[in-house]
Amino acid sequence: MTAPTTATDVNQPSLEHAPPTGRRMSWPVLLLVIAGALALTSIVRLVTGADGITNVSQMSTALQLAVPIGLAGLGGLWAERAGVVNIGLEGMMILGTWFGAWAGFQWGPWTGVLVGLIGGCLGGLLHAIVTVTFNVNHIVSGVAINILALGATRYLAPLAFEGHQGGSAKQSPAVESLGHFTVPGLSDWLSELNAKGWFFVSDIAGLLGGLVTNVSWLTLIAVALVPGTWWILWRTPFGLRLRSCGENPVAAESLGVNVYKYKYLAVIISGGLAGLGGVFLSIVANPFYLEGQTSGRGYIGLAAMIFGNWMPGGLAIGAGLFGYTDSLNLRGGSTNVHALLLLGALLLVIGAIWLAIRKKFVQAAITFVVGALVFAWYAGTNEVPSQVVAATPYVVTLVVLALSAQRLRMPKADGMPYRKGQGK
């Protein structure tokens, strides 16, 4: 990578408005793709009669399940934009669940939010010390933090929770609710519109209704963090310097950027965001800490970040997709997943046509065959096994990453070892 030539390359605000490198879909095209996918989903709903795939309650549940995944993904984005791979997101989420519930049942839910966030930050600080200062392999450090967090919470839970009402060695006492809000009038109107079952319009009403019905205040904060992250990282001198550490730390250092400081800040913020995702699980999604509560959401958050091409907007879409598939477990899972087999078959056929237009005939043929097999599965059955429903979020994670791999562009120095003064 060619180093910048002047100090203004890192410190000049005008460069903050330069678009990030890598192939990205423009907003009009992205909105058109989303509208097309929603229209296709509406057709599938009408054909199969599976009204639950786009109703308000389904979308509300999907939003709730997407939030911890999105927060973990945002944490990964902050760290990797500074050049530090954070596989330890799962462990930092575990710390957030435990510390949040521990403080929450004693001193109130908002104190739990703050302490859980600090717990995640401590995990991020440990990861930063090990990877940035001691230059340990980032993957090894992240895996170690996941194991350490799991072991620490298993040890601490009996000491902190046993003897309290509702507490045990694997569960905390109940935490008071943070509260929810519903937009009056608008929520009822969207629910009525969604119930009419009209093509496309009712599906949009279901999607929007889920965003304004029974929403936690922490959900609102989490949603606001997505544009907030974009603005800080792409529209401020601080963000420009931080991203330069993930692209070319040697060049950044030569221009006066304290690379260690920015890496430390990024990884600590990363841990705090993952911890906040854990707090959401132990205070909002459930009003208590429960061992194994994260269920791999830190890894899925990392997958959502990769799917989003290390960008906040793409990450949010990925988190929403994974949250939606996860919500199928809770609301009419077998019926809805069976209907989505038809949607998957249609998307694969459309993908095959697109590949054929681009003259990638081998890939097009394989995609078409897979689409035909999925359609045969749909046509030959009336429901899917419960095991398939439970595995759907993880299967979708793998499929989405496989299909999006060719357009990805990670920060150039992501995961690479760095020593102060190595460019001299």
Side-chain angles (χ1 to χ4, degrees):
M1 178 177 176
T2 304
T5 56
T6 67
T8 57
D9 287 338
V10 170
N11 297 286
Q12 179 62 263
S14 63
L15 288 180
E16 298 159 18
H17 299 277
T21 55
R23 296 170 58 190
R24 288 201 299 143
M25 191 179 295
S26 65
W27 277 108
V29 174
L30 178 61
L31 292 175
L32 186 62
V33 170
I34 294 174
L38 193 58
L40 199 61
T41 304
S42 184
I43 293 172
V44 168
R45 175 181 61 80
L46 292 172
V47 170
T48 61
D51 293 333
I53 61 176
T54 59
N55 66 22
V56 171
S57 59
Q58 181 77 55
M59 295 303 178
S60 180
T61 302
L63 176 63
Q64 179 172 299
L65 293 171
V67 167
I69 295 172
L71 286 170
L74 276 179
L77 185 146
W78 273 86
E80 299 208 12
R81 278 295 175 180
V84 180
V85 176
N86 193 356
I87 296 293
L89 291 169
E90 179 77 5
M92 296 167 197
M93 287 189 78
I94 292 173
L95 292 175
T97 60
W98 192 91
F99 279 102
W102 171 71
F105 88 87
Q106 298 182 87
W107 303 300
W110 286 109
T111 302
V113 171
L114 178 61
V115 174
L117 187 149
I118 293 172
C121 287
L122 291 175
L125 176 61
L126 178 60
H127 188 50
I129 292 171
V130 172
T131 57
V132 178
T133 301
F134 294 102
N135 233 1
V136 173
N137 181 278
H138 300 190
I139 306 298
V140 172
S141 173
V143 171
I145 286 174
N146 291 339
I147 297 171
L148 179 63
L150 183 60
T153 53
R154 281 183 175 176
Y155 172 76
L156 292 172
L159 300 177
F161 301 143
E162 283 185 340
H164 295 276
Q165 184 177 2
S168 69
K170 295 186 177 182
Q171 180 177 318
S172 73
V175 181
E176 185 182 345
S177 174
L178 288 170
H180 297 75
F181 73 92
T182 296
V183 179
L186 180 60
S187 174
D188 294 335
W189 177 69
L190 289 172
S191 297
E192 291 174 3
L193 191 59
N194 176 247
K196 294 183 181 298
W198 294 340
F199 170 72
F200 194 67
V201 175
S202 292
D203 301 287
I204 293 179
L207 176 61
L208 296 178
L211 302 178
V212 297
T213 303
N214 201 30
V215 180
S216 166
W217 292 107
L218 191 54
T219 299
L220 194 64
I221 293 172
V223 171
L225 284 171
V226 175
T229 291
W230 173 83
W231 183 80
I232 291 172
L233 293 183
W234 275 271
R235 289 294 182 270
T236 66
F238 170 83
L240 184 61
R241 295 181 190 118
L242 187 147
R243 287 186 292 114
S244 72
C245 298
E247 296 293 338
N248 192 331
V250 174
E253 181 189 3
S254 70
L255 298 173
V257 175
N258 188 333
V259 176
Y260 276 17
K261 181 184 79 171
Y262 281 93
K263 284 180 178 286
Y264 261 84
L265 285 172
V267 180
I268 291 171
I269 292 171
S270 172
L273 289 168
L276 194 61
V279 169
F280 188 93
L281 291 173
S282 62
I283 294 182
V284 178
N286 298 291
F288 49 81
Y289 161 82
L290 186 65
E291 188 178 301
Q293 200 163 24
T294 56
S295 300
R297 286 180 175 85
Y299 300 112
I300 298 179
L302 197 64
M305 178 205 67
I306 296 171
F307 165 78
N309 208 9
W310 289 264
M311 294 293 295
L315 182 156
I317 294 173
L321 174 63
F322 300 139
Y324 176 76
T325 55
D326 201 10
S327 71
L328 297 175
N329 287 322
L330 303 178
R331 296 187 175 274
S334 181
T335 302
N336 290 341
V337 171
H338 183 260
L340 291 178
L341 288 176
L342 177 58
L343 177 61
L346 293 174
L347 289 173
L348 287 167
V349 170
I350 292 172
I353 295 172
W354 172 248
L355 289 170
I357 292 174
R358 299 179 66 187
K359 298 183 179 179
K360 297 182 178 181
F361 298 113
V362 175
Q363 295 94 322
I366 294 173
T367 304
F368 182 81
V369 169
V370 173
L373 291 174
V374 173
F375 179 78
W377 184 7
Y378 165 77
T381 59
N382 293 321
E383 60 180 19
V384 295
S386 59
Q387 295 87 345
V388 174
V389 178
T392 297
Y394 307 101
V395 173
V396 169
T397 301
L398 293 174
V399 171
V400 166
L401 287 179
L403 295 177
S404 62
Q406 294 183 349
R407 68 174 182 83
L408 300 179
R409 190 276 191 197
M410 66 190 297
K412 290 185 178 180
D414 193 15
M416 295 177 61
Y418 166 77
R419 285 290 186 188
K420 186 175 182 180
Q422 72 180 40
K424 296 180 180 178

